[in-house]
Amino acid sequence: MIDQIKITSALISVYSKEGIEEIAKTLEAHNVHIYSTGGTFDFLKSKGIAATSIEEVTTYPSILGGRVKTLHPKVFGGILWRRGSLSDVKDVEHYDIPSIDLVIVDLYPFEKTVAGTDNEEEIIEKIDIGGISLIRAAAKNYRHVVVIPAAGFYKPLMKLLGEKNGFTNVEDRRYFAAQAFNISSHYDTQIFNYFNRSEKIAAFKQSQMISATMRYGENPHQKGSFFGSLPENFEQLHGKELSYNNIVDIDAAINLIAEFHEPSVAIIKHTNPCGVACRETIKEAYLDALACDNLSAFGGIVVANRRIDMETAGELNKLFFEILLAPEYEKNALEVLKSKKNRIILRQNPLSFSSRQFKSILNGVLEQDRDLKAETETDFQFVTKKRPSVAETSELLFANKIVKHLKSNTIVISKNRQLIGCGMGQTSRVDAMKQAILKAKTFGFDLKGAVMASDAFFPFADSVEIAHGAGIAAVIQPGGSIRDADSVKFCDENDMAMVFTGIRHFKH
């Protein structure tokens, strides 16, 4: 293996011409012979930079409307030949193949095109063929060739040229090769996922090029990273760097608050809501969400779906919380909230998430549809003699929106559009029921006339028996137990309303 190699020739084929003039002039200053294609050649020529067109090397013009330019043995032979191989040297000399030591490519912007149009013809034409082939060939032959697979690597190339006078070692070349395969694999994944929107091939392929290193993972002894673009989700207006756990909680907060359209506030702790309320104003919603469980709210995440005004900011400022997430802030309110140095304040951006979600498990990945089902009254199966009133129906739907965002087994108790008690993460539904009642009573709520939601069916009538004893008037649950009749019978005998939805909301 040859370690130190001086770059004497380069092939430049780029979609975006930004930054390439400086690169080409630096290469020219190092006496590097430049080959280039089509629009790149014309651009370099317009800047007074000497270059040889690929057409001159191959003796073939660009054909098929530019689809074929570099796909030729004289181009790929110049990249792929092994400098220490006598047979390769013989072939290169026999076929008069020029040596290429550096390949610079900027691919057609396929991903950006897909994001900007539904025109399939335009999208297909942005699938790069020659460029991706050049990248792969140069990366494969990294022992002898340097590959620059995207404009983001111009800066390290310039540094290399400046510090090493055009020489590279095998570590340099292997680094760029690894980056090249990162670029090419991501590019291919985006193309596959575009086609798989309609074809639905059973394959799991995800790729994220943007990453952020967390201070640590779930715990200080664990390393953690986020792959994706956080600024697409929100703008950080104040506070310390986000942690792994912060991001997990923010995800839970965004998904929960999206369920509500009227002025609403939720308070999240370890991904579980400990306070939720809907009111006429965002201040009232916050105060009633806090009243649900002001103990758990300490150090939690507050999320609102309306602008934070000065009055609300004044109330929020009395609580120690880690993160506040809202769509907008009054200027003076923001200044009040910034009074705590480490408090994280985020402005949420409108963003639609993928309808699919996945997690690593065992030696593979589980993938599923997101739980986007939001039941309405049309989903109700009225199984008891007594039907819920109009007010109770609204309350049942409110409670059911919350129950799907808590860890199973879970029970939610609500009253007057306010979460007043919840039990979550329990190994039995009875325990979740008891925990919810205890929570409500601990914080002084009167359960008489309240409603209850369950994420899954009741295997026995014991849960509705306990609910009735606490004063709960109406129940919403999926149904589906072989003993549903027992629960229905108890409700009928005790003047309780219960509806089935047929939809389970387990969350693990």
Side-chain angles (χ1 to χ4, degrees), residues 25-91:
K25 285 183 175 178
T26 303
L27 291 171
E28 196 174 43
H30 282 83
N31 297 314
V32 175
H33 187 96
I34 297 173
Y35 300 94
S36 61
T37 60
T40 306
F41 175 77
D42 293 339
F43 175 80
L44 296 177
K45 187 177 178 181
S46 72
K47 300 298 180 181
I49 299 167
T52 300
S53 72
I54 282 298
E55 288 88 343
E56 187 177 332
V57 174
T58 65
T59 71
Y60 273 84
S62 172
I63 61 173
L64 307 180
R67 280 189 165 197
V68 179
K69 295 189 285 285
T70 58
L71 298 171
H72 193 280
K74 281 202 169 185
V75 176
F76 283 86
I79 296 168
L80 284 164
W81 76 282
R82 291 155 292 192
R83 274 58 169 174
S85 167
L86 292 178
S87 63
D88 283 12
V89 171
K90 184 179 178 181
D91 285 343

Side-chain angles (χ1 to χ4, degrees), residues 53 154 160 236 270 312 346 348 373-374 378 440 472 503 506:
S53 72
Y154 292 173
L160 203 64
Q236 184 163 350
H270 297 299
T312 309
L346 306 174
Q348 186 181 349
K373 176 64 177 175
T378 59
I472 289 167
I503 304 295
F506 270 169

Side-chain angles (χ1 to χ4, degrees), residues 396-416:
L396 288 170
L397 290 171
F398 172 82
N400 203 54
K401 287 178 180 180
I402 300 170
V403 82
K404 78 184 221 187
H405 293 275
L406 287 110
K407 296 288 173 60
S408 301
N409 288 309
T410 183
I411 293 290
V412 161
I413 302 173
S414 75
K415 188 175 181 180
N416 299 325

Side-chain angles (χ1 to χ4, degrees), residues 115-173:
T117 183
D118 292 324
N119 186 317
E120 178 143 303
E121 186 175 344
E122 185 179 344
I123 289 169
I124 296 303
E125 287 308 311
K126 286 298 186 292
I127 298 176
D128 205 311
I129 302 300
I132 204 77
S133 301
L134 291 172
I135 287 173
R136 291 176 62 84
K140 176 177 179 176
N141 204 25
Y142 75 88
R143 290 182 174 89
H144 310 286
V145 179
V146 181
V147 57
I148 302 300
F153 299 98
Y154 292 173
K155 189 173 180 180
L157 173 63
M158 290 291 286
K159 184 179 179 184
L160 203 64
L161 292 169
E163 292 180 356
K164 296 190 175 182
N165 197 31
F167 281 89
T168 65
N169 60 36
V170 72
E171 287 81 13
D172 298 326
R173 298 189 295 275

Side-chain angles (χ1 to χ4, degrees), residues 328-465:
E328 195 53 75
Y329 299 85
E330 287 185 0
K331 185 177 179 180
N332 291 341
L334 187 59
E335 293 308 310
V336 168
L337 293 165
K338 284 181 177 180
S339 62
K340 302 291 193 296
K341 183 178 71 172
N342 289 327
R343 178 184 285 164
I344 298 168
I345 304 174
L346 306 174
R347 178 189 288 125
Q348 186 181 349
N349 297 326
L351 183 68
S352 57
F353 297 104
S354 169
S355 61
R356 303 286 289 171
Q357 62 182 179
F358 55 88
K359 65 168 75 174
S360 61
I361 205 87
L362 298 175
N363 62 341
V365 173
L366 279 173
E367 186 181 25
Q368 67 171 355
D369 295 330
R370 284 184 183 273
D371 186 359
L372 299 176
K373 176 64 177 175
E375 289 87 331
T376 65
E377 191 176 352
T378 59
D379 295 300
F380 284 5
Q381 301 168 41
F382 298 99
V383 295
T384 53
K385 294 175 182 176
K386 181 178 182 180
R387 286 198 172 202
S389 66
V390 172
E392 286 172 339
T393 296
S394 175
E395 196 67 36
L396 288 170
L397 290 171
F398 172 82
N400 203 54
K401 287 178 180 180
I402 300 170
V403 82
K404 78 184 221 187
H405 293 275
L406 287 110
K407 296 288 173 60
S408 301
N409 288 309
T410 183
I411 293 290
V412 161
I413 302 173
S414 75
K415 188 175 181 180
N416 299 325
R417 312 284 285 169
Q418 180 185 24
L419 172 66
I420 62 172
C422 57
M424 79 288 283
Q426 298 302 304
T427 52
S428 82
R429 202 150 299 281
V430 168
D431 285 345
M433 183 79 245
K434 290 177 179 178
Q435 184 188 48
I437 292 170
L438 177 63
K439 277 270 188 184
K441 289 182 176 179
T442 298
F443 292 96
F445 290 104
D446 179 7
L447 275 69
K448 187 175 181 180
V451 308
M452 175 181 79
S454 175
D455 62 326
F457 65 64
F458 300 125
F460 303 99
D462 46 10
S463 292
V464 290
E465 291 169 5

